Amino acid sequence: MQVVIDSNRLRSEELRVFLAAGPSNHAVLIDYASIEAYKTNPLVTIQKSMAVLGEFSSQVLVLKGTGRIARLDSRETDYVREMIWDEYTKTFPLHAASIPFISLNETNMVDSSLMLHEKAIDILALQSPEKFREFHEIFAALYSKDDVRNLRKGVFTQDMLGTLLETAVVGAAYLLEEEGRFHTYDYFDVLNDFAVRQVLARLLLNQRWILHGRPALDDERLLNDQVDSIFVTYATFFNGMMTGDQGSSRLHGELRSLLSTFSKNDETLILPPAYQTPSP
């Protein structure tokens, strides 16, 4: 299995047990997992965050940056395979082996870690909370009173599903600044597109605003929700995700269910079986 690992599970015994179960089990590491590990005090946190992965470094798949993946063509045969950053995946064991030297105050390692810390902060700063808040406000206006009633009942009408997918396609093209991006895509090419799924995840978060009233979200909470939705989006292309966050787990299930509803379980849809957290 290839499972996306949420940053809150990098140090977990669950991850250790999963990887120890056999070499066919792989931890999928996205850019935001590394960003989370480096954003506080990297001289301390990175060693703890990468300790388990370091024990099983040959079972780690490092993905390309989210910006690059969002621009990959979902019509390509090896679309998901293209998400994997081969160079960094091959060198991850060497990287993991070098991390303990940070504690020995090796100058090069310390400087490198502090540089990555600054880069992590810069990347998170580019994620404008105001843009997320504006996104929620715009798409909340799409729902009629009847739509809201249906949402409260857990019902998606065909019209609502059509509007949701159309909005996701328009939103993805807008975020990528590629107006004609999907003009030549067929139905399943659209459903398999990373950027479209990312917007669908955001729209599902938006529905919570609609159903439960607009919460007084601060900037940090908005940013956390956005990062969570990115982890969830990746998880639909692999065997789900390992997370300790109930909100992320719920959103992941909702996105998978929505994609299955759109596709009617057609095999053309990229949606591998999901990892299940072992019962206590």
Side-chain angles (χ1 to χ4, degrees):
M1 299 189 85
Q2 298 177 345
V3 178
V4 174
I5 311 301
D6 199 346
S7 52
N8 60 46
R9 274 294 179 265
L10 287 175
R11 308 179 188 185
S12 69
E13 185 63 22
E14 180 184 2
L15 176 57
R16 188 189 306 277
V17 170
F18 169 74
L19 293 173
S24 62
N25 283 351
H26 292 83
V28 178
L29 195 62
I30 76 167
D31 51 0
Y32 281 90
S34 300
I35 290 168
E36 291 287 317
Y38 276 102
K39 76 175 184 180
T40 51
N41 181 357
L43 302 185
V44 176
T45 59
I46 192 61
Q47 296 177 67
K48 294 180 179 179
S49 296
M50 294 295 153
V52 176
L53 295 180
E55 293 179 33
F56 304 93
S57 57
S58 63
Q59 292 170 242
V60 176
L61 299 176
V62 182
L63 300 193
K64 297 171 182 174
T66 295
R68 289 179 62 184
I69 288 174
R71 286 174 169 77
L72 293 176
D73 191 336
S74 61
R75 295 169 294 184
E76 295 295 329
T77 304
D78 297 327
Y79 180 56
V80 176
R81 180 67 185 78
E82 282 297 312
M83 295 182 183
I84 299 172
W85 201 335
D86 289 330
E87 178 186 353
Y88 279 82
T89 295
K90 290 176 182 177
T91 59
F92 183 82
L94 181 62
H95 170 69
S98 68
I99 287 176
F101 290 97
I102 296 175
S103 62
L104 300 178
N105 201 30
E106 290 283 344
T107 303
N108 289 340
M109 288 299 299
V110 170
D111 289 347
S112 177
S113 294
L114 292 176
M115 179 188 70
L116 289 170
H117 165 68
E118 294 298 328
K119 185 175 181 181
I121 297 299
D122 288 344
I123 291 174
L124 289 173
L126 292 174
Q127 307 296 316
S128 167
E130 283 305 317
K131 191 172 183 179
F132 304 155
R133 190 174 282 108
E134 180 183 358
F135 180 94
H136 283 296
E137 296 288 359
I138 291 172
F139 290 117
L142 293 173
Y143 295 90
S144 66
K145 290 182 179 180
D146 287 339
D147 290 337
V148 174
R149 292 191 193 98
N150 284 322
L151 285 175
R152 294 191 187 283
K153 298 175 185 176
V155 175
F156 273 104
T157 66
Q158 287 301 313
D159 285 344
M160 289 170 66
L161 287 170
T163 298
L164 201 61
L165 184 56
E166 182 179 352
T167 301
V169 171
V170 173
Y174 168 75
L175 290 174
L176 294 173
E177 298 181 345
E178 298 179 24
E179 184 177 346
R181 162 95 180 192
F182 302 107
H183 287 178
T184 59
Y185 281 46
D186 67 21
Y187 184 71
F188 284 101
D189 292 332
V190 167
L191 287 179
N192 287 333
D193 186 83
F194 179 90
V196 171
R197 290 191 185 187
Q198 226 297 281
V199 177
L200 283 173
R202 293 195 199 186
L203 290 172
L204 288 172
L205 281 174
N206 189 61
Q207 288 178 7
R208 297 180 189 178
W209 281 41
I210 295 169
L211 293 177
H212 305 296
R214 173 180 172 171
L217 297 181
D218 58 25
D219 287 354
E220 184 175 357
R221 176 64 185 279
L222 278 169
L223 177 58
N224 287 341
D225 280 352
Q226 168 61 6
V227 172
D228 288 346
S229 75
I230 292 173
F231 274 96
V232 164
T233 303
Y234 277 113
T236 63
F237 290 99
F238 296 92
N239 297 115
M241 67 187 299
M242 187 181 296
T243 181
D245 186 282
Q246 291 185 352
S248 293
S249 181
R250 175 185 166 192
L251 181 61
H252 176 227
E254 290 173 348
L255 183 55
R256 278 182 167 266
S257 177
L258 182 61
L259 290 169
S260 295
T261 300
F262 279 134
S263 69
K264 298 180 180 178
N265 297 314
D266 190 291
E267 293 182 0
T268 312
L269 182 75
I270 300 173
L271 194 66
Y275 164 83
Q276 299 296 322
T277 300
S279 301

